[in-house]
Amino acid sequence: MITTGKYPNLRLRRNREHNWIRRLTKENTLSVNDLVQPIFIIEGKNKKIPITSMPGVYRYSIDKLNSFVKKIIDLGIPMIALFPYTENRLKDNYASEALNENNLVCKATKFIKKKFGNKIGVMCDVALDPYTSHGHDGILKSNKILNDKTIDILIKQSILQAKAGCDVIAPSDMMDGRIGKIRKALDKNNFSNVRILSYAVKYASSFYGPFRDAVGSKNLLKGDKKTYQMDFSNRDEALREVALDIKEGADMVMVKPGLPYLDIIRDVKRNFKIPVLAYQVSGEYSLIMNSIKKGLVDDKIIYETMTSFKRAGANAIISYFSTSIAKNL
Ligand code: PBG
């Protein structure tokens, strides 16, 4: 690093004196192009149901998506991510509902793509947790999550989502080897243009609590996800995960959660020249929202946190704040 000069010749405050010079020397800017808006969907008609653990976030029935998605497009946000709330009666040990071509996610994807075409990208999670009776992302047998058996289902799930019109397949399950197998299957089924955003670096985190409530898996989850999601003490392992997923064909990679893992975003971006997305997850959202509501902090912290992701090196941010922050950009 080259920094020449010293005080009193050098005064770094000169570049902070006025708004114009601060703008001129700004290093990172958040724009609407950097945002992804997650949407929770629910069966039924004319429903917009508040999620208690996530103030200001709702579950929408498909008919209600029309106006919400239109609003998101008008704001200039490039992509949405769909997450289904699945009724318990549809859940089983094998996540059968994941392979129902008319499940909520597939129906919603078809609806949005028919209405809005390529005005917005649709990203779908590939993992079994919204559909399993035990809340895990894979098939559970004798207290173990079966890697390869799970991948067999994830492949089929990916193809169904691609058939429905999904633009970005986002495996969030953390099984070994799934990116390569999903890529191969997509190509074989004439979906070579469907992208894969790998949740390459996904830590076993307590920040996912409100999300699990939102998709209805919280009370079902047996144990934790430590045998497949990463240990939050680890840094080198994150780079190994990313390296593998790139080799297997990932077009973009994700780091998740967001704010406590800015160092990892930075490492990934420095080591791999690939689009990196940060996921500001549900627990981060709810902590911030509740603190704002209590008047403990100003709502400007939303913008501050999201700019921090850009500074760390993220190309884009998946955040429940996307729509609200986009209005101010
Ligand atoms: C499911 C999935 C999770 C999230 C995204 N996809 C939860 C989990 O792995 O338990 C978390 C998102 C959030 O907390 O906002 N595999």
Side-chain angles (χ1 to χ4, degrees):
M1 191 171 36
I2 308 162
T3 305
T4 51
K6 61 176 194 208
Y7 173 85
N9 293 341
L10 189 64
R11 292 175 185 266
L12 294 186
R13 287 185 58 195
R14 276 183 210 126
N15 284 350
R16 299 178 204 140
E17 193 183 6
H18 302 296
N19 180 274
W20 66 264
I21 185 70
R22 289 195 294 272
R23 280 191 289 130
L24 192 71
T25 56
K26 194 183 285 295
E27 295 176 38
N28 294 285
T29 340
L30 183 70
S31 98
V32 288
N33 299 323
D34 304 323
L35 303 174
V36 180
Q37 175 68 45
I39 304 179
F40 294 106
I41 44 180
I42 190 166
E43 206 61 67
K45 283 227 151 60
N46 200 25
K47 283 187 179 161
K48 184 182 171 187
I49 302 169
I51 300 166
T52 32
S53 56
M54 299 181 74
V57 179
Y58 301 84
R59 299 188 190 103
Y60 297 84
S61 56
I62 292 179
D63 54 334
K64 282 277 188 188
L65 288 179
N66 197 15
S67 58
F68 189 37
V69 175
K70 184 168 186 315
K71 189 173 114 187
I72 293 168
I73 292 171
D74 289 344
L75 285 166
I77 294 175
M79 183 163 80
I80 54 173
L82 298 178
F83 296 103
Y85 172 89
T86 312
E87 289 167 36
N88 279 343
R89 62 178 180 88
L90 295 174
K91 298 185 182 186
D92 59 30
N93 185 29
Y94 302 100
S96 313
E97 181 64 8
L99 301 187
N100 169 7
E101 64 179 341
N102 276 317
N103 68 22
L104 203 46
V105 165
C106 291
K107 272 195 296 189
T109 304
K110 282 180 213 158
F111 177 85
I112 294 164
K113 283 283 124 182
K114 195 170 165 209
K115 270 251 123 75
F116 302 107
N118 284 324
K119 289 199 178 109
I120 192 150
V122 172
M123 154 185 159
C124 298
D125 241 41
V126 168
L128 305 184
D129 57 308
Y131 310 107
T132 51
S133 43
H134 44 69
H136 279 289
D137 294 31
I139 298 304
L140 183 69
K141 198 175 175 194
S142 319
N143 266 328
K144 284 199 164 36
I145 300 295
L146 304 181
N147 194 85
D148 300 2
K149 284 249 172 349
T150 298
I151 294 181
D152 290 342
I153 303 178
L154 299 177
I155 289 172
K156 293 182 186 152
Q157 185 184 23
S158 306
I159 300 293
L160 284 184
Q161 291 176 347
K163 271 189 185 148
C166 171
D167 300 291
V168 177
I169 295 287
S172 69
D173 54 285
M174 289 300 278
M175 297 302 113
D176 284 326
R178 87 281 203 213
I179 298 300
K181 290 203 167 175
I182 291 173
R183 181 71 273 162
K184 213 169 143 193
L186 285 171
D187 290 356
K188 210 176 129 198
N189 285 273
N190 281 323
F191 294 117
S192 53
N193 282 339
V194 171
R195 300 139 201 92
I196 298 181
L197 162 58
S198 166
Y199 284 71
V201 186
K202 179 170 179 180
Y203 288 95
S205 168
S206 296
F207 281 97
Y208 307 147
F211 173 96
R212 291 177 189 167
D213 180 37
V215 299
S217 70
K218 190 172 188 150
N219 298 327
L220 300 176
L221 184 62
K222 290 201 183 91
D224 56 48
K225 299 191 177 181
K226 286 182 184 166
T227 69
Y228 45 108
Q229 300 180 350
M230 282 176 53
D231 181 341
F232 53 73
S233 325
N234 297 354
R235 166 195 294 280
D236 292 342
E237 193 185 3
L239 299 180
R240 297 181 79 193
E241 282 284 2
V242 172
L244 275 173
D245 285 1
I246 292 175
K247 231 181 223 160
E248 290 179 29
D251 301 286
M252 303 168 268
V253 294
M254 179 124 70
V255 175
K256 173 183 176 195
L259 216 51
Y261 298 88
L262 291 180
D263 56 328
I264 307 298
I265 296 172
R266 180 81 172 141
D267 279 356
V268 171
K269 195 63 197 183
R270 274 205 168 158
N271 283 282
F272 303 96
K273 303 305 163 193
I274 186 167
V276 178
L277 279 82
Y279 198 145
Q280 184 172 48
V281 299
S282 57
E284 301 175 63
Y285 171 86
S286 296
L287 279 174
I288 292 173
M289 252 332 234
N290 286 330
S291 303
I292 292 170
K293 283 179 86 170
K294 279 191 191 147
L296 299 174
V297 285
D298 194 278
D299 66 3
K300 290 195 185 76
I301 68 166
I302 298 170
Y303 182 66
E304 183 175 334
T305 58
M306 291 178 83
T307 306
S308 301
F309 292 118
K310 293 292 294 179
R311 194 190 60 235
N315 294 83
I317 305 139
I318 304 177
S319 170
Y320 304 94
F321 290 118
S322 290
T323 307
S324 58
I325 200 82
K327 289 176 193 143
N328 306 321
L329 295 177

